Amino acid sequence: MHVLIIGAGVAGLTCGRELLRAGHHVTLLEASDGPGGRVRSDVVGGYTLDRGFQVLFEAYPAAQRQLDMAALDLRRFDPGAIICAAGRRLPIADPLRDPASALATALSPAFTPADKLRVARLALELRAQGVDALLSGEDRSSLAFLLQRGFSMRSIDLFFRPFFGGVLLDPDLETSAKCLKFDFKMLASGGIAVPANGMGQISAQLAAPLEAQGRIRYGCRAAALLYEGGRVTGAQLEHGDAVHADAVVVATPAPEAARLSGDPIALGARGTATLYLAGDMQLYQGKKLLLNPTPGALVNNAQLMTNISPAYAPQGKHLLSVATTRTPPGDDMALFKAALRDLHHMFAGDPLAQAALTSYQPLRAYRIPFAQFAQPAGIHPQLPDNRTGHPGLFFAAEFTEASSINAAMISGEKCAVAVQQDVA
């Protein structure tokens, strides 16, 4: 069986690998010049820049199945975060996984004593709960869930909005509570990491067996699907060639999948921007994420990537990643100026950090208007299936599951199964 896969992002690569392992002939068409979709890294002047601030949750079930974690040479963040508010840096940590921060967390005013107990109780509950059980039942917004669990508005505003708002690109916490609970479970069950040489290493590893057999064609954009007798039988390329196959998998973001298939995949977009700055001085020590809870600020979170993996920058240099929860207007230099204003505010009262910030210069800005699709409460049962209403056509993309690397891999796995079941 020959399967044509349009798109070599994480879902398409996973689907292709699964079909290749099963002995099928696979061709992947990728419009860009490399694999991974949004999970890619660029090297600019010796600095490794991920295309958007991204991390890998090591407890992701699909990542455990699909990736050789040891080969990625993962570099871990310290559990928790540092809240930069009102001229103070307030540490938050998981004392079970970061004992060195237990006292500082216990004394941190970011959470009330009751909030700290609620965090511990929720972590234990979710760690013990299976994923299927966690995702079942009635749904509500993340904010409604946190309030129902009794969390104070102080803890929500200082921690949950910037932290999970950054993960979900939704500081209003309107996203389904099932997403927050799943991510909370992943955090309670394992670490957060990046490959030593950038997130693009994940995509490179997924692509390697396909590239070794010449299965991926880069710089090939599908202009339209081909039909024969009501069945999808291939794709017409922009430059005029046609590729025929027994089955076609569309593994693209939702807007492109809607264009090719003609199906109304109406999912709202959540955008972000990530700014990279290079500096000569270490801005701060430690491997925790920095959170900015200031309402209306451009910067939601920041991370000195070279604290996590020195390989992200040339020797003796430092790389700062700054992320937003929206795709802001204005030119890049205006964004960098606004980001530096926020960073100076986040490090108010720290003269060493203020001096270090003067050495940081803009490297590159990434604007990603469709970084995730909107996931309000109740949306997941309404998402498209891997099987479409068109014979011979299938979807492998996060929009069939949820918006995450894990979900993209799961969609690829499920799509490979569906193709083999339906195209005998």
Side-chain angles (χ1 to χ4, degrees), residues 334-350:
L335 292 187
F336 279 111
K337 288 180 181 178
L340 282 166
R341 285 195 297 269
D342 283 353
L343 289 164
H344 279 288
H345 179 75
M346 290 167 67
F347 283 94
D350 185 338

Side-chain angles (χ1 to χ4, degrees), residues 362-384:
L363 270 179
R364 181 172 289 186
Y366 291 91
R367 300 168 188 257
I368 309 170
F370 199 97
Q372 296 185 25
F373 65 87
Q375 300 175 89
I379 191 175
H380 295 97
Q382 305 171 32
L383 295 177

